[in-house]
Every structure is written in structure tokens, then in C-alpha cells.
């Protein structure tokens, strides 16, 4: 009897060590991932001297400090005393047209995603559900394209766009990304789990193949589309490489990551407070989107099919 | 007039022939069952009839019109699938309305949001039709639910409803009851038969379950490896199978078969006993088939066996007997009173009803045969 209880205790104990270990590892991982964010938020709240001397903990002392730039403009010193948080965030919006950049970011990422879906769904449907000559070869090509890194084709792409006179336009930011092999692959895998009977039922009901894609496949694929949407939007919202290449002069077309550059390498040195404030503002939309879509996102990743 | 006719249909997938010159005529209003073991091509034949699959050769006509190259929706057939195939994102009412929307509304009327405003009258008519069918199937309370919130039986009804709203020329059903539990399946058989009587529409029903075929159909077509072996009313096929395969497939427990030989003197040598034949009299090896209910226990019976297993179904008891000279156990139907007197592993005597014996050639074809009802020694 007592042995049995000991046994139970033993198993319970063993189980909890393992769980504890798992949690320690996960916590460490989470800390490593979150540390840069912590720094980013912390710096966006502090005054410049606190940032330089690395004092003030997370929030800083929140004392008023003198804004040198304001003084240089000839204002009285007491008019130029500012609160660090207010200074950092207002400077972020004043020094660069941050709202414009955010808007550009939205236009670009949303256009990319919408066109990607318009291209990927019919492709994925054909690859998953239609029988045609060469289907396997086409799918193998899709898999092959997954292996090509963006940077490898950046130069030819740039040259083509330049020849077409499309550099420094929204089109240059959007067009190269409209065909997403990853999207085609992901949706194709999802469509494979949709029962053939459902498609046949739609055909019996009189839907055309495109009707089936938009009226049957699209609604059933929402979880997978959400997952793809998050991958796509995060990737293109945060992309620094491509916009940096094709947007050379026109600041009106800057996307948010390009906006960050405005705070770098000024004559009066780096201005970390406003820069981190900008970074915070840039990532906020993504975090909000993710929190809103979290459950659907995880459903989509596990690709839980029908039934 | 909507007689359906399939003529010399052929179909192969790659190198494998799946249908070999299959022909079938279905009269208007008939309940026809395609029955056969899994993989014999029933679904393929049904899909060719529906237009979802293209035949390699042959002709499909409905009501005298050749529809071989007509799109599925324009054949005005409705199909019920084994997996029900309801649209998971639409409510039951919308599921049932989809075929009507596709048929009765122009492009702009099908737009989301504004469609129902633009084509208000058509929508009202369609909703009326959906409601009417829902009444018939007793699924009115479910109209607002999503398919995910329904039980298997309810989904089955909704799938039927979606097929019924458009009043098709014929209903095509591919194993529609296979996903239901046993009790519900038996109940739905009766309900489908009732529905068929009420609608008076043609039903083409595919199943691998010979019991379903026997209970529901007006006529059944037995299919095996890509051929239709026999077509006829269930009674006819049960009592008068035209080949050994059909005889073996139809009926549960299966028919007893014995290797036997017609001797030159016109006697039939059957597991150690000889029976007098009236016809045929040519010497040949044959297979004898006799159903369990045509064997009976009798103290004076000419055959003997040891009871190996008693399968008690309540109303009947099937005795499985080891008989010397027979390769498989012989199954015999007894009534419970008789069976109560039988103990396991004991010897029993039994006999057969001579006029129910079926004779097959070694190639499997049926032989007309008559056994003498009285043995003259
Ligand atoms: N799309 C297909 N591609 C290749 N072979 C198929 C396809 N559909 C059916 N078959 C083959 O055709 C045969 C008959 O299939 P089916 O008509 O579904 O049989 P049943 O419905 O009688 O069980 C099977 O051997 C099956 O493997
Ligand atoms: Mg089948």
C-alpha cells in the first residue's frame, strides 16, 4: 500500500522535474528573444544622458532635461526643458514623416498579401486537386524555388525594374513579391487535406472551377491563410533590404524600416531615444495584429484540416 | 421522360481497366442499386453518370438526350456523398440554397451582401423551397447551424436536403449510409425507401452492402471487377443468381458451396452422398450452391456434420458444421427450438431442399438443373 503511494509520488516527482526543466529552458529562450525588445522599449523611455551612461533602470528617472537642438534654435533654456518620453516620441514623429512611412508600410504589405493570395490560391488548387500533365514536375519546381534566396536574384530583379523605369515607385516594392512560392506550397498542402467530395459537390451544384476556389476553398482555408498572412506581412513590413535597394531618393515612398535610418549618423551623433521610439511604433501594429489573430494563427500552423 | 441509359461505358485509370463495356438502363422513377465489393468500379460508374468523371468510351444519355459531354450541373442530377460534403463555412440553410443560387440567380445576384437586395424576389422563392424541403426532412430547427455542429445523421439529412431542393431528374447516392452507426443505418434505409416512394424520382444508389441493396431497391445491378454481372429485382437475384460470384456475394451468411461432380450415370456426387439428377446429365465437375435456409436438421438426413459454432441471432440460429469432404464449414439455418437440442461438437444429421439447389459450371456460370425430389434407390 505505502509502496504504491511512494510509486505514485515518485512518478509525480519525476514528472514535475521534467516539466520544470522544460520550463526553465523555455524561459531562458523567451528571455533571449525578449531582451532586445526590453532594451528597445527601455531606451525609448529614457533621456539621452541616461542612455549614454546606462543608468536609470527600465524607466529612467523621468526628469526634465535640456533639448540642445531647441536651444540652438535660439529659444530660452527654460522653454527647452522636456520630459524624455514625450521628447522621444514627438521627435520620432517630427523628425521624419513617420505616419507617412507607416501608411506606405500598410499599402505595400497589404497589396503584396492580397496579390499573393490571388495568385497562390488558384495555383495551389490546381496543384492539389486538378489532374493535368506535368503536375508533379510543376510542383517540384515550386519546391525548388523555395530554395532560392531572395538576395541571389536581387540584382537581376533590380536591373529589370530599372529598365522598366519602375524604381522609386510602389510597384517596385510590390511586384517582385506577388508570386510567393511559399504561399503556393503552404496552400497546396492545406488543400490536399480538403476532401475531394467537397469539390465534387460544388461541381454538382454548378460552380465553375474559379467559383470553387473563391467560394469553397477560400473560406475553408481561412486558418491557413491567416498563418500565411502573418508570415507574409511580418516579412514585408520588416523588410529593410529590398526597399533600401529600389527606393533610392524619394522619401515619400520610405517604408517604416527605412524611416529608422533617419536617426542614424546625423552630424550631432546618434539619437537613440527617438530612434527606439520609432522602432517601438513600427513593431506595435505587428504585435497587435498577432495578438488579435493568435488563435487562428496557431490553428493554421498545425494545419488542422476539415472535420 | 427521363430514362437514364449507360451504353458500353469503358474507363481505365492508367493501365488498369476499371470499367469494361458496362451498359445499364434505368427506368424513370426506379430505385436502382449498384452493389459490389469495394474497388469494383461502382463509384467510377456513378461519377461517369454524374459527369464528374469522363468515360474513355461509351455513351451516357438522360431522357433520350446524349449528355456524354455535358457538364455535371447541366445534367440536373443531384449527388449525395458518403462524407456528406457539406460546405463547412455555410449554415445548413445556405448549404441547401447553394444549388438554387447557382442555378436560378444571375452573376450579380450571387454577390455577397448586395445580391440578396438586388434579387429579393428570387431569394424569397428560394428560401421558401429550402423551408419546404427542411419540413419534409424534419430539419427545420437546424437551418441556422453550421455542419460542424450537427451529428452524423443530421448531416446526412442536410446532404439529402441539398440534393432535393433542386428537384433533380435523379438522385445519385454513393454509399450515403456508410458513415452512420448500425441502428441509424437500418432506420435510414426505411426512410430513404419512404422518400423514394413519396418523390417518385429515380434513385441510383451505390453500396457495397448487399443487405442495403436487397432491402431498398426495385432493381439491383451486381458489379464485380468492372462488369455488371446481373441486373434484376432483389428476389430474383437472390433466388436465381446467374453465376457463382453473384451467388456468393448476395446473401448473408453466404451461400454454401461444394465441389461436386456429375457422374456419367446422371448422379451428382456431393460430399460422400449421391443425389439423382433429372437434368443435366452430361458428366462434368460442377460447383453446388445451397443457401443456409435451404438446409434443415433432420434425424433421417443424408448428410452428417459436427457442430463447430452456433451463431445465435435470436430469431434464427446459424449452425456452422464441419462436414467430411467439404472444404469449408457448412452453414445451416435452424429455428431456436431445434437449435436448443444441439450441443457443440456433437454430430447432427441434416438434409437439403432439392428444388433449391443451384448448380454452377467450373467456369462459374449457372447450369440449369433439376434434382429429383424423391430419391429412388
Ligand atoms: N482517380 C483515380 N485514379 C486512379 N485509380 C482510381 C481512381 N479512382 C478510382 N480508381 C481505381 O478504380 C477502381 C474502382 O474504384 P471505385 O469506382 O472507387 O470502386 P468502388 O466505388 O466500387 O469501391 C479501384 O481499384 C480504384 O483504385
Ligand atoms: Mg466507392
Amino acid at each position: 500500500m505505502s509502496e504504491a503511494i511512494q510509486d505514485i509520488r515518485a512518478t509525480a516527482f519525476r514528472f514535475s522535474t521534467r516539466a520544470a526543466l522544460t520550463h526553465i529552458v523555455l524561459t531562458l529562450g523567451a528571455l533571449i528573444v525578449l531582451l532586445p525588445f526590453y532594451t528597445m522599449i527601455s531606451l525609448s523611455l529614457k533621456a539621452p544622458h541616461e542612455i549614454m551612461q546606462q543608468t536609470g533602470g527600465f524607466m529612467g528617472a523621468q526628469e526634465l532635461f535640456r533639448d540642445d537642438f531647441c536651444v540652438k534654435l535660439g529659444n530660452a533654456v527654460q522653454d527647452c526643458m522636456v520630459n524624455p518620453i514625450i521628447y522621444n516620441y514627438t521627435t520620432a514623429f517630427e523628425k521624419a514623416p513617420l505616419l507617412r512611412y507607416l501608411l506606405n508600410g500598410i499599402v505595400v504589405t497589404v497589396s503584396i498579401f492580397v496579390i499573393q493570395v490571388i495568385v497562390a490560391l488558384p495555383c495551389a488548387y490546381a496543384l492539389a486537386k486538378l489532374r493535368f500533365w506535368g503536375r508533379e514536375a510543376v510542383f517540384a519546381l515550386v519546391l525548388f524555388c523555395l530554395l532560392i534566396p531572395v538576395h541571389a536574384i536581387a540584382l537581376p530583379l533590380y536591373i529589370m525594374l530599372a529598365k522598366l523605369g519602375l524604381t522609386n515607385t510602389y510597384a517596385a516594392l510590390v511586384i517582385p513579391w506577388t508570386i510567393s512560392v511559399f504561399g503556393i506550397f503552404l496552400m497546396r498542402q492545406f488543400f490536399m487535406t480538403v476532401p475531394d467530395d467537397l469539390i465534387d459537390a460544388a461541381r454538382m451544384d454548378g460552380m465553375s472551377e474559379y467559383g470553387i476556389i473563391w467560394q469553397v476553398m477560400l473560406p475553408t482555408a481561412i486558418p491557413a491563410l491567416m498563418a500565411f498572412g502573418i508570415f507574409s506581412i511580418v516579412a514585408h513590413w520588416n523588410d529593410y533590404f529590398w526597399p533600401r535597394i529600389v527606393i533610392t531618393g524619394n522619401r515619400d515612398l520610405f517604408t517604416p524600416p527605412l524611416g529608422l535610418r533617419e536617426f542614424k549618423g546625423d552630424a550631432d551623433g546618434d539619437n537613440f531615444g527617438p530612434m527606439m521610439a520609432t522602432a517601438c511604433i513600427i513593431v506595435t501594429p505587428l504585435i497587435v495584429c498577432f495578438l488579435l489573430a493568435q488563435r487562428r494563427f496557431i490553428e493554421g500552423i498545425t494545419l488542422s484540416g476539415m472535420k | 421522360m427521363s430514362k437514364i441509359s449507360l451504353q458500353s461505358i469503358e474507363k481505365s485509370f492508367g493501365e488498369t481497366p476499371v470499367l469494361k463495356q458496362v451498359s445499364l438502363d434505368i427506368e424513370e422513377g426506379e430505385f436502382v442499386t449498384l452493389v459490389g465489393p469495394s474497388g469494383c468500379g461502382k463509384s467510377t460508374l456513378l461519377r461517369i453518370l454524374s459527369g464528374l468523371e469522363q468515360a474513355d468510351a461509351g455513351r451516357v444519355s438522360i431522357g433520350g438526350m446524349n449528355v456524354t459531354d455535358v457538364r455535371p450541373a447541366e445534367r440536373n442530377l443531384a449527388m449525395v456523398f458518403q462524407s456528406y460534403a457539406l460546405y463547412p463555412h455555410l449554415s445548413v440553410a445556405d448549404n441547401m440554397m447553394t444549388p438554387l443560387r447557382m442555378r436560378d440567380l444571375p452573376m450579380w445576384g450571387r454577390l455577397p451582401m448586395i445580391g440578396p437586395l438586388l434579387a429579393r424576389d428570387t431569394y424569397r422563392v428560394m428560401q421558401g423551397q429550402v423551408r419546404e424541403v427542411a419540413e419534409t426532412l424534419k430539419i427545420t430547427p437546424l437551418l441556422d447551424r453550421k455542419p460542424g455542429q450537427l451529428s452524423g445523421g443530421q448531416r446526412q439529412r442536410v446532404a439529402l436536403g441539398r440534393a432535393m431542393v433542386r428537384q433533380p431528374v435523379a438522385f445519385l447516392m454513393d454509399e450515403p449510409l456508410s458513415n452512420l452507426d448500425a441502428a441509424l443505418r437500418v432506420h435510414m434505409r426505411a426512410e430513404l425507401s419512404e422518400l423514394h416512394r413519396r418523390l417518385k424520382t429515380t434513385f441510383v444508389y451505390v453500396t457495397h452492402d448487399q443487405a442495403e441493396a436487397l432491402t431498398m431497391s426495385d432493381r439491383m445491378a451486381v458489379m464485380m471487377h468492372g462488369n455488371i454481372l446481373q441486373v434484376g429485382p432483389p428476389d430474383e437475384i437472390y433466388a436465381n443468381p446467374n453465376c457463382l460470384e453473384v451467388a456468393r456475394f448476395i446473401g448473408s451468411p453466404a451461400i454454401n458451396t461444394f465441389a461436386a461432380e456429375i457422374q456419367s450415370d446422371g448422379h451428382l456426387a456431393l460430399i460422400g452422398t449421391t443425389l439423382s439428377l433429372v437434368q443435366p446429365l452430361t458428366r462434368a465437375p460442377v460447383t453446388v450452391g445451397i443457401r443456409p435456409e435451404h438446409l434443415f436438421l433432420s434425424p433421417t438426413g443424408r448428410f452428417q456434420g459436427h457442430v463447430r459454432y452456433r451463431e445465435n441471432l435470436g430469431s434464427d440460429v446459424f449452425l456452422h458444421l464441419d462436414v467430411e469432404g467439404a472444404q469449408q464449414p457448412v452453414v445451416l439455418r435452424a429455428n431456436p427450438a431445434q437449435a436448443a437440442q444441439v450441443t457443440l461438437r456433437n454430430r447432427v444429421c441434416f438434409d437439403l431442399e432439392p428444388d433449391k439447389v443451384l448448380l454452377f459450371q467450373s467456369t462459374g456460370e449457372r447450369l440449369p438443373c433439376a434434382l429429383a425430389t424423391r430419391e429412388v434407390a
Side-chain angles (χ1 to χ4, degrees):
Chain A
M1 193 59 201
S2 69
E3 243 172 55
I5 289 175
Q6 255 176 0
D7 263 7
I8 291 170
R9 276 209 196 122
T11 45
F13 183 65
R14 221 177 318 148
F15 175 69
S16 71
T17 21
R18 201 195 274 160
L21 259 177
T22 320
H23 278 94
I24 288 170
V25 171
L26 287 177
T27 314
L28 278 175
L31 276 181
I32 292 170
V33 172
L34 288 177
L35 215 56
F37 284 92
Y38 172 87
T39 315
M40 177 183 82
I41 295 169
S42 169
L43 294 193
S44 80
L45 302 175
K46 294 208 268 193
H49 63 274
E50 289 166 329
I51 296 174
M52 288 307 163
Q53 293 151 19
Q54 302 189 5
T55 55
F58 178 66
M59 284 285 290
Q62 296 300 326
E63 284 165 342
L64 299 185
F65 72 96
R66 202 181 67 221
D67 178 2
D68 290 333
F69 187 63
C70 167
V71 175
K72 224 188 270 175
L73 289 180
N75 296 312
V77 171
Q78 59 269 42
D79 291 340
C80 285
M81 298 303 282
V82 287
N83 170 287
I85 297 183
I86 294 176
Y87 169 78
N88 288 343
Y89 281 86
T90 49
T91 314
F93 280 97
E94 276 165 9
K95 189 147 178 217
L98 189 54
L99 278 179
R100 170 83 202 203
Y101 298 166
L102 288 172
L103 194 70
N104 285 343
I106 291 172
V107 168
V108 169
T109 48
V110 170
S111 321
I112 290 177
F113 178 59
V114 168
I115 302 177
Q116 278 178 338
V117 169
I118 291 175
V119 175
L121 281 191
C123 292
Y125 174 73
L127 285 174
K129 293 295 179 191
L130 301 183
R131 276 180 267 149
F132 56 90
W133 187 86
R135 180 174 84 163
E136 300 315 313
V138 172
F139 185 59
L141 275 181
V142 167
L143 290 179
F144 176 71
C145 288
L146 275 176
L147 302 176
I148 300 176
V150 179
H151 308 85
I153 53 168
L155 200 58
L157 264 180
Y158 174 79
I159 294 170
M160 282 197 280
L161 287 169
K163 288 236 162 105
L164 290 172
L166 286 177
T167 45
N168 288 308
T169 58
Y170 281 124
L173 290 169
V174 173
I175 288 175
W177 310 114
T178 48
I179 299 176
S180 161
V181 276
F182 175 66
I184 294 173
F185 172 72
L186 190 76
M187 297 320 293
R188 184 258 185 193
Q189 296 307 91
F190 183 82
F191 286 169
M192 294 292 280
T193 68
V194 175
D196 288 344
D197 280 357
L198 189 64
I199 294 160
D200 285 337
R203 287 188 185 132
M204 292 298 291
D205 284 349
M207 286 189 203
S208 64
E209 296 300 304
Y210 277 101
I212 292 173
I213 294 170
W214 304 120
Q215 294 174 49
V216 180
M217 299 310 260
L218 175 67
T220 56
I222 294 286
L225 273 181
M226 300 272 286
F228 173 57
I230 289 190
F231 284 125
S232 162
I233 287 175
V234 167
H236 296 111
W237 180 270
N238 289 337
D239 190 16
Y240 179 77
F241 172 75
W242 187 250
R244 181 83 182 81
I245 290 181
V246 290
I247 305 302
T248 44
N250 191 349
R251 283 180 75 203
D252 282 349
L253 292 175
F254 274 19
T255 56
L258 286 185
L260 268 182
R261 246 166 29 105
E262 306 270 301
F263 299 92
K264 184 92 180 87
D266 282 17
D268 40 331
D270 293 340
N271 201 352
F272 285 117
M275 189 174 175
M276 288 302 123
T278 311
C280 286
I281 294 166
I282 291 173
V283 298
T284 310
L286 289 185
I287 292 176
V288 170
C289 280
F290 179 76
L291 290 180
L292 288 180
Q294 197 177 17
R295 258 198 43 219
R296 285 293 190 108
F297 178 56
I298 287 163
E299 271 173 28
I301 288 201
T302 50
L303 285 183
S304 56
M306 323 282 302
K307 290 192 184 175
Chain B
M1 251 306 281
S2 48
K3 183 179 144 146
I4 295 172
S5 142
L6 297 160
Q7 289 157 21
S8 319
I9 302 290
E10 281 178 42
K11 176 79 187 173
S12 318
F13 287 112
E15 291 296 293
T16 355
V18 172
L19 295 174
K20 307 161 191 162
Q21 292 272 348
V22 174
S23 299
L24 180 66
D25 285 318
I26 299 167
E27 298 300 328
E28 181 167 7
E30 231 183 351
F31 195 130
V32 168
T33 307
L34 297 175
V35 64
S38 278
C40 70
K42 311 177 294 285
S43 300
T44 308
L45 186 59
L46 196 72
R47 289 166 57 81
I48 285 172
L49 170 54
S50 71
L52 291 170
E53 200 85 60
Q54 203 68 38
D56 296 339
R59 214 175 99 106
V60 182
S61 61
I62 299 175
M65 226 176 47
N66 184 354
V67 294
T68 317
D69 299 316
V70 171
R71 274 166 26 96
E74 279 139 34
R75 299 188 183 192
N76 197 17
L77 303 168
M79 192 140 166
V80 178
F81 296 87
Q82 178 178 352
S83 59
Y84 316 134
L86 300 173
Y87 306 115
H89 59 288
L90 296 180
S91 70
V92 167
D94 287 333
N95 258 289
M96 289 170 62
M97 208 189 281
T98 304
L100 295 179
R101 287 183 36 192
M102 299 313 296
R103 190 187 62 187
D104 297 343
L105 285 176
M107 190 70 153
W108 46 266
R110 281 184 247 139
L111 294 173
M113 316 289 242
I114 52 170
L117 292 176
L118 293 177
R120 219 170 315 156
D121 293 336
T122 324
Y123 265 86
R124 208 163 298 142
V125 174
M126 293 191 316
Q127 271 158 354
Q129 283 165 307
V130 167
R131 191 136 303 144
E132 207 175 296
V133 170
E135 291 289 336
T136 322
L137 292 171
K138 306 189 189 72
I139 50 173
T140 314
L142 309 178
L143 282 178
D144 294 325
R145 294 212 210 152
K146 292 272 171 71
Q149 300 164 310
L150 302 178
S151 71
Q154 290 169 329
R155 282 183 215 179
Q156 174 67 67
R157 274 163 204 273
V158 176
L160 264 178
R162 183 175 62 180
M164 277 164 65
V165 281
R166 56 194 278 189
Q167 299 179 322
V169 171
F171 291 96
L172 313 182
M173 306 194 181
D174 194 348
E175 317 226 358
L177 305 185
S178 308
N179 284 358
L180 302 179
D181 61 67
L184 196 53
R185 193 153 50 203
V186 173
H187 173 78
M188 283 304 287
R189 276 186 209 163
E191 219 163 280
L192 279 178
S193 295
E194 168 65 30
L195 194 66
H196 174 243
R197 249 193 313 282
R198 194 145 27 113
L199 296 175
K200 298 185 178 66
T201 313
T202 314
F203 277 47
V204 184
Y205 187 101
V206 162
T207 180
H208 65 268
D209 181 351
Q210 50 90 30
E212 269 176 26
L214 287 173
T215 44
M216 294 195 290
S217 23
D218 295 329
R219 278 198 311 153
M220 56 198 267
V222 185
M223 284 187 73
M224 301 246 172
H225 28 76
N227 294 306
I228 291 185
L229 298 185
Q230 191 175 6
V231 185
D235 292 338
E236 165 78 15
I237 289 191
Y238 186 80
N240 240 336
N242 67 0
C243 67
L244 188 57
E245 280 179 302
V246 173
R248 281 203 172 122
F249 186 74
I250 303 296
S252 168
I255 192 167
N256 297 300
T257 53
F258 310 94
E261 193 168 292
I262 301 178
Q263 293 166 338
S264 46
D265 57 356
H267 281 80
L268 181 67
L270 178 65
I271 43 174
T273 311
T274 42
L275 307 176
S276 311
L277 269 180
V278 174
Q279 150 217 0
L281 298 172
T282 39
R283 190 191 153 121
V286 290
T287 304
V288 169
I290 180 132
R291 297 203 179 272
E293 63 269 31
H294 301 137
L295 294 173
F296 55 92
L297 292 174
S298 147
T300 58
R302 284 168 290 176
F303 305 95
Q304 300 184 345
H306 291 269
V307 182
R308 168 204 182 103
Y309 174 59
R310 290 165 45 133
E311 187 180 352
N312 191 347
L313 300 185
S315 57
D316 293 313
V317 178
F318 288 99
L319 299 176
H320 295 232
L321 310 173
D322 281 324
V323 177
E324 208 170 312
Q327 285 92 345
Q328 289 131 10
V330 174
V331 182
L332 172 154
R333 188 180 74 180
N335 63 43
Q338 286 174 318
Q341 294 158 14
V342 174
T343 38
L344 231 50
R345 276 182 291 281
N346 264 20
R347 215 185 57 168
V348 292
C349 295
F350 64 95
D351 213 325
L352 49 76
E353 293 174 29
D355 53 334
K356 296 291 166 47
V357 169
L358 306 174
L359 222 54
F360 301 95
Q361 288 176 3
S362 50
T363 51
E365 274 136 78
R366 178 81 183 277
L367 271 180
C369 104
L371 245 62
T373 37
R374 266 267 151 81
E375 288 300 326
V376 268

